[in-house]
Amino acid sequence: MIESSVDVVNRAGLHTRPAAMLVKIASKFQSEIYLVRDGFSINAKSIIGVMTLAAEQGARLGLTVVGADEQEAANAIKDLFASGFDEP
Amino acid sequence: MPSIRTITPHQKDHITVRDVLAGPLRLRSLTDDVGMDNKITDKSMHRPQLALAGYTEFFTFYRVQLFGNTEFYYLNSLTHADRVKAFRNICMFNVPCIILANGHLLENELIDLAREHNVAVLATDYDTTKAIQQLSDFLDDQFAPQLNVHGSFVDVYGVGMLFSGASGIGKSEIALDLVERGHRLVADDIVVFTQKRESILMGTGTSLVKHFMEIRGLGVIDVRQMFGVRAIRFQKRLEIIVELEVFDPDREYNRTGLDESLTSLMGVEIPTIKLPIIPGKNITVISEVIALDYLLKTYGYHASKVMAERLHDEITKRRSSRASTDQRHITYFMGDDE
């Protein structure tokens, strides 16, 4: 199990388009991926779940990954957040 | 698997005067069987005013010639000899047929002239404008491009849904399930789509197959006999294509509903939904939901857009002030524990 955290860096936050990107990438891995905000944990493969976070720029989310490909999955999710979802 | 995008449309290269006579114009022939097999090769019709007046340079004689009030008033303004001459001007060409609108009739000498030249003369009681509308509509339909598609076509809550996908994936079974739930089958296996005006595709079955369908392991059944007339309809506008496919974990499926994909059939763009089939997934119920969602969108409510806006508003609010992060729909439960 990997426990880490990610920051929302893009200005518009985790709105619908980034949420869809995140879900698409998360769904490529077998591991279970969870994002946690203020103790509220959601499955990163669920679009409604990710949207529920309503994470604005600057928000810090906990990241928990469990599974066979957890290292790759964690890296991919971190890279995605760091890239700001290709947004300013 | 041949995609429905790759099928080439076909269209009639001609119809006969007999087809026009049998059309919706309530026509009667004034020349009996004369010219009934004349071919009509063009979907436009022609008002031969200039040709009557003698100018036949660009006379589109091969079209259906429609005589409305103008043509009659003009002919009536001529002397008898000139009238015969003017009419001969038209009959000389290889005209397939002449349609007289507004209940007008021609004198016998002119009718005989038409017979001589093997031109059918048909009459309708519709006024000129109505006759033009009906005739254009009929000819448009007859010469419209048609496309044969392999799939099941069902009216779900009034929305025309085409199920496409590889053989044996269960298109007919889904159609049957929908019929059982009160929806109406238009055609199974072979659906013929005809383009109407610019942006409409009308679908129907073939005259041989009608509402028969094949269920694997069972054979051929007749949906109309089995479920009654309420379970079928003869034609429906195509509004959504549902592409069924075996679930492929490497494929990306639409998760938000914000991006609409379209299939272009004969230049008409039809919203298309790619639906993966997974055990335990009730495609019939999902199909009903697709139809209802389509209706909501038609009436201006786009759920995924509304959700995206709500999310955007929430993010904006949080950015300006660290608001409460309680995710529940209500902020506290009432004391009645119910």
XYZ file of all heavy atoms in Angstrom, chain A residues 11-12 16 23 27 37-38 40 45 51-54 56, chain B residues 252 255-256 258 307-308 311 314-315 318-319 322 325 327:
234
model
N -5.367 26.289 -12.081
C -6.172 27.384 -11.545
C -7.637 26.993 -11.398
O -8.290 27.314 -10.423
C -6.041 28.614 -12.456
C -6.476 29.885 -11.771
C -6.435 31.095 -12.699
N -5.267 31.089 -13.587
C -5.350 31.242 -14.909
N -6.534 31.406 -15.480
N -4.265 31.232 -15.644
N -8.169 26.265 -12.374
C -9.613 25.983 -12.361
C -9.988 24.853 -11.407
O -11.161 24.608 -11.162
C -10.079 25.636 -13.771
N -14.806 19.281 -14.218
C -15.263 18.067 -14.908
C -14.219 17.459 -15.839
O -14.003 16.255 -15.840
C -16.554 18.364 -15.706
O -17.476 18.989 -14.804
C -17.163 17.094 -16.233
N -10.086 9.936 -13.905
C -10.796 8.655 -13.867
C -10.296 7.737 -14.980
O -10.099 6.537 -14.774
C -12.321 8.903 -13.997
C -13.049 7.604 -14.274
C -12.839 9.546 -12.733
N -8.425 4.273 -14.150
C -9.086 3.036 -14.569
C -8.161 2.113 -15.338
O -8.476 0.937 -15.541
C -10.310 3.361 -15.439
O -11.228 4.126 -14.697
N -10.105 13.649 1.112
C -10.099 15.072 1.453
C -10.819 15.252 2.776
O -11.987 14.887 2.899
C -10.824 15.869 0.376
C -10.873 17.334 0.750
C -11.338 18.198 -0.361
N -10.922 19.556 -0.066
C -11.278 20.595 -0.758
N -12.048 20.450 -1.811
N -10.865 21.791 -0.416
N -10.139 15.813 3.748
C -10.715 16.038 5.078
C -11.396 14.777 5.583
O -12.530 14.803 6.067
C -11.723 17.195 5.041
C -11.066 18.478 4.551
O -9.895 18.703 4.896
O -11.724 19.232 3.806
N -12.703 12.443 3.961
C -13.730 11.930 3.049
C -13.025 11.243 1.899
O -12.330 11.871 1.110
C -14.578 13.112 2.564
C -15.787 12.707 1.797
C -16.954 12.311 2.448
C -15.790 12.740 0.424
C -18.080 11.962 1.745
C -16.914 12.383 -0.301
C -18.072 11.996 0.369
N -11.620 5.912 -9.445
C -12.144 5.427 -10.722
C -13.604 5.807 -10.909
O -14.232 5.433 -11.892
C -11.985 3.908 -10.803
C -10.514 3.475 -10.804
C -10.364 1.963 -10.820
C -8.896 1.593 -10.676
N -8.678 0.143 -10.643
N -15.704 14.101 -8.687
C -16.358 15.400 -8.765
C -16.794 15.874 -7.382
O -16.788 17.071 -7.078
C -17.560 15.331 -9.711
C -17.161 15.222 -11.179
S -18.519 14.668 -12.220
C -19.107 16.195 -12.862
N -17.184 14.911 -6.548
C -17.651 15.246 -5.207
C -16.580 15.982 -4.396
O -16.893 16.793 -3.532
C -18.053 13.956 -4.461
O -18.972 13.258 -5.273
C -18.685 14.262 -3.131
N -15.310 15.696 -4.701
C -14.237 16.356 -3.956
C -14.252 17.866 -4.160
O -13.868 18.619 -3.282
C -12.874 15.809 -4.406
C -12.614 14.327 -4.102
C -11.297 13.906 -4.722
C -12.609 14.077 -2.594
N -14.726 18.304 -5.319
C -14.766 19.729 -5.662
C -13.457 20.402 -5.233
O -13.467 21.446 -4.576
C -15.979 20.412 -5.032
N -10.410 22.616 -5.193
C -10.016 23.870 -5.822
C -8.493 23.961 -5.881
O -7.783 23.137 -5.297
C -10.595 25.059 -5.044
C -9.903 25.359 -3.719
C -10.308 24.416 -2.593
O -10.986 23.418 -2.855
O -9.911 24.688 -1.433
N -11.475 3.336 -23.980
C -12.008 4.376 -23.113
C -13.476 4.613 -23.447
O -13.839 4.757 -24.602
C -11.211 5.665 -23.321
C -9.838 5.578 -22.696
C -9.012 6.822 -22.940
O -9.490 7.711 -23.674
O -7.915 6.892 -22.394
N -17.314 8.895 -19.799
C -17.639 8.864 -18.382
C -18.479 10.055 -17.933
O -19.241 9.952 -16.985
C -16.348 8.804 -17.546
C -15.493 7.584 -17.817
C -16.177 6.303 -17.363
N -16.382 6.249 -15.934
C -15.563 5.659 -15.069
N -14.484 5.072 -15.492
N -15.842 5.649 -13.778
N -18.302 11.199 -18.562
C -19.035 12.374 -18.100
C -20.307 12.628 -18.899
O -21.256 13.191 -18.383
C -18.167 13.634 -18.219
O -17.803 13.815 -19.577
C -16.933 13.518 -17.369
N -20.242 14.634 -21.387
C -20.109 15.982 -21.948
C -19.730 15.939 -23.428
O -20.148 16.780 -24.200
C -19.060 16.780 -21.177
C -19.502 17.286 -19.803
C -18.368 18.039 -19.141
C -20.726 18.164 -19.917
N -24.302 19.128 -13.843
C -23.356 18.633 -12.834
C -22.025 19.380 -12.945
O -21.435 19.773 -11.929
C -23.149 17.128 -13.049
C -22.217 16.484 -12.060
S -22.965 16.333 -10.417
C -21.509 16.111 -9.418
N -21.563 19.582 -14.186
C -20.285 20.280 -14.393
C -20.372 21.711 -13.848
O -19.432 22.207 -13.229
C -19.921 20.283 -15.867
N -20.293 21.675 -10.052
C -18.928 21.433 -9.586
C -18.097 22.704 -9.712
O -17.352 23.076 -8.798
C -18.313 20.300 -10.412
C -16.842 19.981 -10.129
C -16.656 19.628 -8.663
C -16.378 18.830 -11.008
N -18.984 25.145 -7.018
C -18.495 24.701 -5.716
C -16.990 24.982 -5.585
O -16.527 25.483 -4.558
C -18.776 23.200 -5.556
C -18.378 22.615 -4.224
C -19.191 23.157 -3.051
O -20.340 23.601 -3.290
O -18.668 23.167 -1.910
N -16.254 24.686 -6.671
C -14.805 24.934 -6.633
C -14.532 26.425 -6.481
O -13.679 26.847 -5.691
C -14.133 24.384 -7.918
C -14.172 22.846 -7.920
C -12.685 24.859 -8.024
C -13.669 22.221 -9.194
N -15.191 27.504 -2.947
C -14.166 27.044 -2.009
C -12.871 27.824 -2.148
O -12.123 27.981 -1.200
C -13.879 25.566 -2.239
C -15.012 24.710 -1.753
C -14.657 23.265 -1.834
N -15.821 22.483 -1.440
C -15.781 21.197 -1.184
N -14.631 20.553 -1.284
N -16.862 20.549 -0.830
N -12.621 28.268 -3.394
C -11.387 28.998 -3.603
C -11.430 30.329 -2.874
O -10.435 30.813 -2.356
C -11.142 29.212 -5.100
C -9.681 29.329 -5.418
C -9.423 29.196 -6.882
N -10.400 29.952 -7.648
C -10.379 30.034 -8.967
N -9.442 29.395 -9.632
N -11.266 30.710 -9.634
N -12.734 29.118 2.622
C -12.691 27.704 2.993
C -14.021 27.357 3.650
O -14.188 27.437 4.868
C -11.526 27.446 3.957
C -10.167 27.576 3.304
C -9.812 26.374 2.468
N -9.695 25.164 3.311
C -9.392 23.976 2.831
N -9.177 23.833 1.555
N -9.307 22.941 3.634
N -16.680 21.537 4.709
C -16.359 20.439 3.811
C -17.200 19.215 4.122
O -16.867 18.116 3.722
C -14.867 20.080 3.921
O -14.557 19.890 5.299
C -14.009 21.145 3.303
N -19.668 16.702 3.276
C -20.101 16.332 1.939
C -21.557 15.899 1.887
O -22.072 15.598 0.814
C -19.221 15.181 1.418
C -17.769 15.554 1.262
C -17.505 16.346 -0.001
O -18.433 16.756 -0.677
N -16.240 16.574 -0.307
